[in-house]
Amino acid sequence: MATALRNAQMSASEWEARQQLAACYRVFDMLGWSEMIYNHITVKLEDEDGAFLINPFGLHFSEVTASSLVKIDIDGNKLDDCPYPVNRAGFVQHALFHRHLPDAHCIMHTHTTAGMAVSSVEGGLQPVNFYACNFAGQIAYHDFEGVTVRDEEGERLLAHLGSKRAMLLKNHGILVMGKTLPEAFIKHWSLQRACEIQVATMSMGKPLVVADEVIAVHQRDLYMAQASTKPGEADFAAMVRKVDKIDTSWRD
């Protein structure tokens, strides 16, 4: 059935994007980053201007498949016959960035415990661990204004994000974006790890803060510790292999 749907209704490029995004939802669930039926990962479709894929509202991350993803435009109109609705709280924020940021191919927003905790303390992410040093000077912050369903908040979100592509929504959670899905994935994974370790560290006492000059060297040399010249590609592929050992239904 999935193969017939792919062949009859969509391009090879769209099907590839659907499979990669569906795999990502399963990876997030495997890593404990799902939040009931909420939160979102979206991907732009390269061969359809203004179109992107989002999770069907009502399905858990562990239930998302390639064919169940919803294709919508940046105004929220459904572009396929998927029976599921789209959560406005996800659409408004993601469509904003997809509309205004050409390099925001993939956008990820989560309510992980560690991400929400660090976004809810004065000072946010601190340079007190390896992963946090990756993000020093690269994290944007946006004040909590309630559930993100109002278009008028968009102007402030864009202004606070600026040229950065990772944000802690205060009292809310993690938001990252990347030029590719694997790039956004490794960015989210690293930021999540930074938050987890900060929460653990702060519970133990006064942390050791990494000096600015050391952070500069760390960020300069990070590329030499990567498994590929394409950020996150090898990391994401490894996680997909793990998901496949559990359940391959995301491919349908």
Side-chain angles (χ1 to χ4, degrees), residues 106-238:
C106 178
I107 301 170
M108 301 175 170
H109 170 55
T110 59
H111 291 176
T112 66
T113 299
M116 292 188 77
V118 172
S119 73
S120 301
V121 295
E122 192 68 38
L125 189 69
Q126 300 297 309
V128 297
N129 65 67
F130 180 101
Y131 294 111
C133 289
N134 296 6
F135 293 96
Q138 299 177 22
I139 296 285
Y141 292 88
H142 175 69
D143 291 337
F144 184 59
E145 298 187 23
V147 63
T148 52
V149 293
R150 302 182 315 281
D151 293 327
E152 51 89 16
E153 188 179 356
E155 183 177 342
R156 293 181 292 280
L157 276 163
L158 286 170
H160 291 154
L161 181 68
S163 62
K164 298 179 173 66
R165 294 298 180 262
M167 176 181 274
L168 285 179
L169 302 166
K170 293 182 181 180
N171 312 99
H172 190 169
I174 291 173
L175 175 71
V176 301
M177 50 197 76
K179 296 176 182 177
T180 66
L181 185 149
E183 180 185 283
F185 168 75
I186 196 59
K187 194 177 294 184
H188 186 284
W189 183 87
S190 300
L191 183 52
Q192 169 67 13
R193 287 293 290 143
C195 290
E196 290 172 350
I197 298 165
Q198 178 168 315
V199 170
T201 302
M202 296 302 190
S203 72
M204 297 171 63
K206 186 176 181 179
L208 299 173
V209 177
V210 180
D212 290 344
E213 58 270 24
V214 177
I215 291 173
V217 172
H218 175 77
Q219 292 187 349
R220 182 197 68 194
D221 295 342
L222 266 176
Y223 77 96
M224 290 189 284
Q226 296 175 352
S228 170
T229 56
K230 297 179 179 179
E233 188 175 69
D235 311 81
F236 183 67

Side-chain angles (χ1 to χ4, degrees), residues 44 49-52 72-77 79 91 94-96 98-100:
K44 276 199 267 191
D49 187 42
F52 65 95
I72 59 176
D73 65 20
I74 52 178
D75 294 315
N77 302 303
L79 301 175
F91 155 72
H94 287 244
L96 168 79
H98 282 311
R99 183 191 297 270
H100 293 284

Side-chain angles (χ1 to χ4, degrees), residues 36-38 40 55-61 63-64 84-87:
M36 291 292 287
I37 58 171
Y38 306 100
H40 307 86
N55 52 316
F57 193 28
L59 292 189
H60 191 267
F61 279 17
E63 298 178 296
V64 173
Y84 292 98
V86 172
N87 183 3

